């Protein structure tokens, strides 16, 4: 099992990794707004995840360090999740209930075309701070602190052809 400690060790000890984010995914969470309800995937991420994956905010804002440190109940909705829950209404500042717990919508991801992904399209997801999901919706199939994934991005030198050939030598 991957743990938060593993993610922290990668972040502090790896010379090849630039950015690390632990991730907890919960599939089929009951999500409702004042206008509609749906069963959606909820993903807990740290702010730096937004630099690893393309989560372009077209309305509102992304997560901050304060959101993470304070385990704020705030959410960023994918474009399709926003439409499902709010129709054509503005979702910013509105409440959504994730498994019965209130979260405030702070952002919406621009609609994106994805031809590949590892856990479903971002358009249909709800993103929340990692610390909030770890508190409110920890994995039920594992011990506390166990993650779904660790998302990493390599340092620029690792991506360069020069360095790649050095690693192969």
């Amino acid at each position: 099992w991957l743990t938060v400690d593993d993610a922290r060790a990668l972040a502090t000890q790896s010379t090849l990794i630039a950015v690390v984010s632990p991730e907890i995914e919960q599939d089929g969470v009951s999500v409702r707004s004042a206008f509609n309800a749906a069963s959606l995937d909820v993903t807990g991420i740290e702010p730096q995840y937004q630099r690893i994956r393309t989560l372009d905010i077209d309305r509102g804002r992304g997560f901050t360090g304060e959101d993470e440190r304070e385990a704020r109940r705030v959410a960023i909705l994918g474009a399709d999740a926003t439409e499902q829950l709010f129709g054509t209404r503005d979702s910013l500042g509105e409440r959504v209930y994730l498994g019965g717990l209130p979260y405030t919508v702070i952002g919406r991801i621009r609609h994106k075309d994805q031809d590949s992904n590892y856990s479903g399209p971002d358009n249909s997801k709800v993103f929340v701070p990692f610390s909030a999901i770890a508190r409110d919706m920890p994995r039920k199939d594992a011990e506390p602190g166990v993650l779904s994934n660790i998302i990493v991005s390599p340092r620029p030198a690792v991506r360069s052809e020069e360095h790649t050939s050095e690693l192969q030598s």
Side-chain angles (χ1 to χ4, degrees):
W1 297 102
L2 296 172
T3 68
V4 173
D5 291 340
D6 295 328
R8 300 295 177 248
L10 286 171
T12 59
Q13 298 175 21
S14 175
T15 59
L16 302 177
I17 296 173
V19 183
V20 176
S21 178
E23 180 182 72
I24 293 179
E25 296 177 315
Q26 295 294 356
D27 299 333
V29 174
S30 173
V31 180
R32 68 178 171 82
S33 71
F35 309 102
N36 204 0
S39 178
L40 300 171
D41 294 347
V42 177
T43 302
I45 60 172
E46 290 185 337
Q48 63 271 20
Y49 178 98
Q50 299 163 118
R51 293 190 341 242
I52 302 169
R53 298 276 315 276
T54 307
L55 295 185
D56 292 335
I57 306 295
D58 74 350
R59 297 261 305 127
R61 67 174 179 85
F63 294 127
T64 66
E66 290 79 28
D67 294 329
E68 179 60 29
R69 282 189 294 281
E70 296 176 16
R72 292 179 181 164
R73 286 187 175 146
V74 292
I76 298 171
L77 305 179
D80 294 344
T82 301
E83 186 177 335
Q84 172 72 32
L85 295 169
F86 292 95
T88 58
R89 298 169 190 90
D90 188 5
S91 60
L92 292 184
E94 294 292 324
R95 281 252 163 105
V96 290
Y97 293 85
L98 308 179
L101 298 170
Y103 279 71
T104 301
V105 178
I106 60 166
R108 179 185 73 199
I109 301 170
R110 95 174 145 74
H111 189 272
K112 64 193 248 187
D113 295 322
Q114 286 182 274
D115 57 358
S116 66
N117 55 65
Y118 64 91
S119 64
D122 292 343
N123 291 320
S124 60
K125 288 185 180 183
V126 176
F127 292 91
V128 300
F130 175 80
S131 57
I133 201 170
R135 176 195 61 217
D136 294 342
M137 292 178 260
R139 289 186 54 176
K140 290 179 174 65
D141 62 343
E143 296 293 319
V146 171
L147 308 174
S148 300
N149 300 295
I150 296 175
I151 308 303
V152 301
S153 178
R155 292 192 185 281
V158 174
R159 288 178 270 175
S160 75
E161 286 184 37
E162 256 179 52
H163 190 72
T164 302
S165 60
E166 288 174 18
L167 290 174
Q168 293 172 350
S169 299

